Amino acid sequence: MPDDAELLRSAGRGDENAFRELVDRHARYLHGIAYSLTQNPSDAEDVVQETFVALLKSKFREESTVRTWLVQILVRRAALLRRSKHRKLSLAAPEEARNDASVAAKGSAVAGSDARLDLAVMLEVLSPEHRQVIVLREIEGMTYDEMATALQVPRGTVESRLHRARAELRERFKGYLQGS
Amino acid sequence: MTCDKAAQIHAYLDDEIDAAQRGELEVHLLQCAECQRLLTEIRGLSSLIIRSSRPVPMRAGAMATYYGAWRSARDRAVMRITGWMTAAAAVLLIGALLLGPVRTSPAVAAKPKPGIWEVMVVTPPVETHGEANSDLVQVAQWMADDLSASGGRSR
């Protein structure tokens, strides 16, 4: 069975079946990350489709696995989508979303650790950079090196972002952590 | 956080340190309440994130959309090439208009220009211009003399 890199080369030479095999192998994984980053099924689908289009147009330099390279493309596409959506929204809207999440977080302290918390609420309080590292590490289980490759930042930056993101979540969701 | 080992707790939990560092940190954890608390909190946070994440909904037709990326990429490539060709054609057209023959007024344009062969037939070669003129003058002189002689006889 050909590996991902071979399939990618075949797809680049015009083999549609090789491309479909790559989609079969990675679509669900990428969709999971895209959904965690966008928190919207339609946006997630757009981002994954754009990632597969980019797969056919971009050059894979074999500096990582194909999967990590795809995550790299996907994270960039999700960030672009987020920026374009923010431009369209009024400045007040994101602030409202943050406030809502903040209210949910405050409520959590009262509700205690039995309350059901939605991941979307947790991620909403984070900046895009902090959200990326939490999704890739905590949900997808990527290593620091894989994250550094996917996010195209040094490993040290990944670590500092992860520390800050965790610190922020610990602070905001204290109520849920008691008794965890 | 005041303990200088606190930063290593994340790497410890994420299995990103080697065995020697791991052993050293585990000894430290036995003595440092602050690092113990941090470790418990980060563990709790990881478990909270996993508990809070729900199965990701994926539309039934999503895979067909992803397979469709093949056609989208191809269509975009065709559109890109078409765009380049259109731009190149536009540049050529503009260049031709700017560098082409200067337009003349309609009156001048209406008058047909003589063909090059006509000009060559009526124009003597450049190097014989002088000789041709002197020949003509000579012929004209002879004709004048002849006419005046004949005119004189007729009178």
Side-chain angles (χ1 to χ4, degrees):
Chain A
M1 181 179 279
D3 66 17
D4 287 348
E6 287 171 55
L7 287 174
L8 197 56
R9 279 191 288 274
S10 300
R13 287 193 295 266
D15 183 348
E16 187 174 353
N17 287 332
F19 173 75
R20 290 173 82 95
E21 177 65 27
L22 282 169
V23 172
D24 288 340
R25 286 186 190 182
H26 301 291
R28 285 190 182 279
Y29 174 75
L30 294 176
H31 187 88
I33 299 176
Y35 185 78
S36 298
L37 292 175
T38 61
Q39 293 298 321
N40 178 312
S42 168
D43 286 349
E45 212 170 285
D46 287 348
V47 166
V48 175
Q49 197 198 13
E50 284 296 315
T51 302
F52 282 121
V53 171
L55 170 150
L56 293 165
K57 292 194 300 182
S58 314
K59 180 151 178 61
F60 176 55
R61 298 183 195 284
E62 308 204 14
E63 290 164 350
S64 65
T65 62
V66 170
R67 175 166 283 200
T68 302
W69 178 63
L70 288 172
V71 172
Q72 184 186 104
I73 297 172
L74 184 138
V75 167
R76 217 162 38 223
R77 297 276 155 186
L80 284 173
L81 178 73
R82 189 183 171 87
R83 272 200 289 274
S84 78
K85 286 187 101 175
H86 270 229
R87 268 199 296 272
K88 287 176 191 164
L89 288 170
S90 67
L91 287 172
E95 201 50 50
E96 269 174 33
R98 270 179 179 265
N99 290 341
D100 289 347
S102 182
V103 167
K106 280 175 189 163
S108 71
V110 179
S113 57
D114 289 340
R116 171 84 175 158
L117 182 66
D118 193 272
L119 182 63
V121 175
M122 293 186 76
L123 295 177
E124 189 57 47
V125 303
L126 297 173
S127 69
E129 287 81 13
H130 288 175
R131 182 187 293 206
Q132 287 164 0
V133 290
I134 289 293
V135 167
L136 297 182
R137 174 62 222 162
E138 302 288 3
I139 300 172
E140 303 305 331
M142 286 180 114
T143 65
Y144 290 177
D145 286 335
E146 285 172 337
M147 289 160 71
T149 305
L151 300 174
Q152 294 182 288
V153 294
R155 183 188 156 109
T157 305
V158 166
E159 289 186 58
S160 62
R161 282 183 189 173
L162 190 59
H163 296 185
R164 288 199 202 107
R166 281 172 169 165
E168 186 161 4
L169 289 176
R170 275 179 16 241
E171 178 61 30
R172 294 218 185 210
F173 299 98
K174 267 180 195 160
Y176 288 92
L177 295 176
Q178 287 160 7
S180 289
Chain B
M1 288 290 155
T2 52
C3 180
D4 60 354
K5 296 269 186 193
Q8 290 181 33
I9 297 296
H10 295 266
Y12 171 78
L13 196 67
D14 295 329
D15 203 15
E16 293 276 351
I17 54 174
D18 60 32
Q21 287 174 308
R22 176 168 285 273
E24 193 184 313
L25 200 66
E26 280 170 355
V27 171
H28 171 76
L29 276 165
L30 293 172
Q31 305 151 354
C32 180
E34 188 184 343
C35 285
Q36 279 176 27
R37 195 174 62 250
L38 178 62
L39 180 65
T40 306
E41 282 185 12
I42 300 173
R43 270 205 184 117
L45 181 65
S46 293
S47 124
L48 176 65
I49 290 170
I50 297 300
R51 283 204 314 273
S52 306
S53 60
R54 296 172 183 175
V56 174
M58 191 160 152
R59 200 171 57 84
M63 287 302 279
T65 306
Y66 301 154
Y67 293 140
W70 177 267
R71 186 165 294 171
S72 295
R74 195 190 55 193
D75 291 349
R76 284 184 204 182
V78 169
M79 288 295 288
R80 202 165 50 242
I81 291 168
T82 310
W84 289 339
M85 289 176 76
T86 308
V91 167
L92 282 175
L93 185 64
I94 291 166
L97 289 172
L98 291 175
L99 302 173
V102 178
R103 287 188 179 182
T104 51
S105 69
V108 175
K111 188 180 172 186
K113 275 179 80 176
I116 188 69
W117 63 272
E118 291 174 278
V119 176
M120 290 187 74
V121 166
V122 298
T123 309
V126 175
E127 63 272 18
T128 58
H129 266 203
E131 289 172 32
N133 284 345
S134 60
D135 285 348
L136 283 171
V137 170
Q138 188 66 57
V139 169
Q141 188 62 50
W142 288 341
M143 286 172 74
D145 293 344
D146 192 41
L147 284 170
S148 50
S150 64
R153 274 198 299 273
S154 66
R155 276 185 210 149

